[in-house]
Amino acid sequence: MHERKIGASMDSLNNLNNDKAAIVKKVHIETWGCQMNVADSEKMLSLLQQRNYELTLNVDEADLVLLNTCHIREKARHKVLSRLGVLNQLKNKKPELKIAVSGCVAQADGKKLIELAPQIDILIGPGKIDQIGHFIDATPHNGVPQVALGFDRHSEEQNSTSTDDIGKFIAPTVSGKKEVTRFVNVIQGCNNFCTFCVVPFTRGREVSKEKSQILNEVRGLVDQGVREITLLGQNVNSYGLDFIKTEIVPQDGGPFVELLKAVSEVQGLERIRFTTSNPHDFTRPLANLFASNKKMGRYIHLPVQSGNDHILERMKRKVTVSEYLGRINWLKEAVPDIAISTDLIVGFPGETEEEFEDTLKLISEVEYSFVYAFKYSARKGTAAARFSNHLSEEIMEARLKRLNDIQNAITLKQNQAEIGQVRDVLFFYENSKIPGMYVGRSEHYRTVRVKSERNLVGLTLPVIITASNKIAMEGILN
Ligand code: 5AD
Ligand code: SF4
């Protein structure tokens, strides 16, 4: 999960399916960070649509600008602050413009953010997004920002599920397009408190959504043409532990494995993925499900963070390198060619050259298909921020480059080995700049492009891979 900004193309608005006659106002949404934020933006858009707002991709024509922010690393927070500076200028020209800030920066910085950026009208933490509608209904504010921070154990939505509600909770996409792949949030928050991580502070403790509601959401999405669902949670494989009142996933895989089985039975769904898994809560039955259930694909993201036990202990990751490799072995035993990606942090406080080199050894041993590597960023309030021996930017930069050089060679080698293979590709969209070029993903989560005269969007088809580079494959229909 990363602090990229998620945008949309202009032509995508054509697909919006709104009641134009009733719509009077426009909202422009900018989403940074993880998939969870995308799902939250979609939820807020649906609440705003009920208040006669329609999505616009053009900030200049907006009545309301919503920044849904990320706080995972300092760089992500800076981007928000500089964007607020630009919006301030816009508001000077257009004083009736409302500015709302949601997400993890809102929760972490709280009212301090309003001191830094007094142009903010609405400040909403990730635990309070349900309230955006109430804030919009409220009379125009008199210079006093409306603020909702903190966490409720259960949202209004979580309490209002019924098996007749198929499709009731279907949120629109923030891209404005009809998407073939969508996210469904199944568990909020995190109980783990890894020492580097701000998420438990910004998203609160774990609260799972009822299985019946998740199934309703998935069925509703599939009815709309969605073919791939990614179940989301900061710690997705601890789904449902709050229901059965335990902190340890049962040996049979527990509620998460049960949920995956139930979702995969939804007629018309082609693929089910999930993110982010924590190795600590990863069970053998979950690994085995990849072998027995075709819809699961052959890819998993399993963050390790470091290849050194001393660093993992100081990160409070709760698994050792050998326990992590044990999980990787379960996966490889279940599906020998499974593609695996991971998250890594370089330059954790006090990380020695040898400890860093253990991470390099690990990536060569596991042979990840891809890694998301980050320089450590101190987050206020976290335990690691108070550790001594923070490393210099130069050391972190150099380590990041060494790591990425090694991984890039591994990724390229794997992608080249794809040439000549036949892969099942689910197609997501047509490239807006190259008509007839369809883009999808293989079961191993590799991006594949195929030229075709017929519309492939939403179809899963066998493709012979003919070319590849570090980023994507090309192929022809088999
Ligand atoms: N510094 C650098 N990277 C971080 N991540 C989380 N917190 C930090 C931090 N303080 C990374 C971890 C996590 C991913 C989402 O972001 O690798 O898995
Ligand atoms: Fe952060 Fe650790 Fe929770 Fe992941 S498991 S969200 S890294 S505290």
Side-chain angles (χ1 to χ4, degrees), residues 1 72-73 196-197 305 343 345 374-377 379:
M1 303 193 178
I72 196 96
R73 286 167 289 274
F196 53 82
C197 185
Q305 313 297 355
D343 288 343
I345 295 178
F374 310 99
K375 290 179 278 184
Y376 170 75
S377 170
R379 310 316 289 133

Side-chain angles (χ1 to χ4, degrees), residues 351-364:
E351 183 190 66
T352 64
E353 174 62 24
E354 292 71 34
E355 287 168 341
F356 166 65
E357 284 174 9
D358 283 344
T359 300
L360 299 183
K361 278 186 211 133
L362 181 75
I363 63 174
S364 298

Side-chain angles (χ1 to χ4, degrees), residues 72 189-200 206 234-235 276-278 281 303 305 315-317 343 345:
I72 196 96
C190 179
N191 294 349
N192 281 326
F193 289 90
C194 299
T195 55
F196 53 82
C197 185
V198 82
V199 165
E206 292 169 7
Q234 233 73 47
N235 210 4
T276 297
S277 291
N278 190 314
D281 301 316
Q305 313 297 355
M315 288 177 165
K316 280 224 172 78
R317 287 291 290 176
D343 288 343
I345 295 178

Side-chain angles (χ1 to χ4, degrees), residues 443-462:
E443 58 271 53
H444 296 101
Y445 209 68
R446 295 191 169 97
T447 301
V448 181
R449 301 191 197 111
V450 169
K451 269 261 183 205
S452 160
E453 288 181 2
R454 113 178 126 111
N455 182 359
L456 304 181
V457 175
L459 302 178
T460 305
L461 296 167

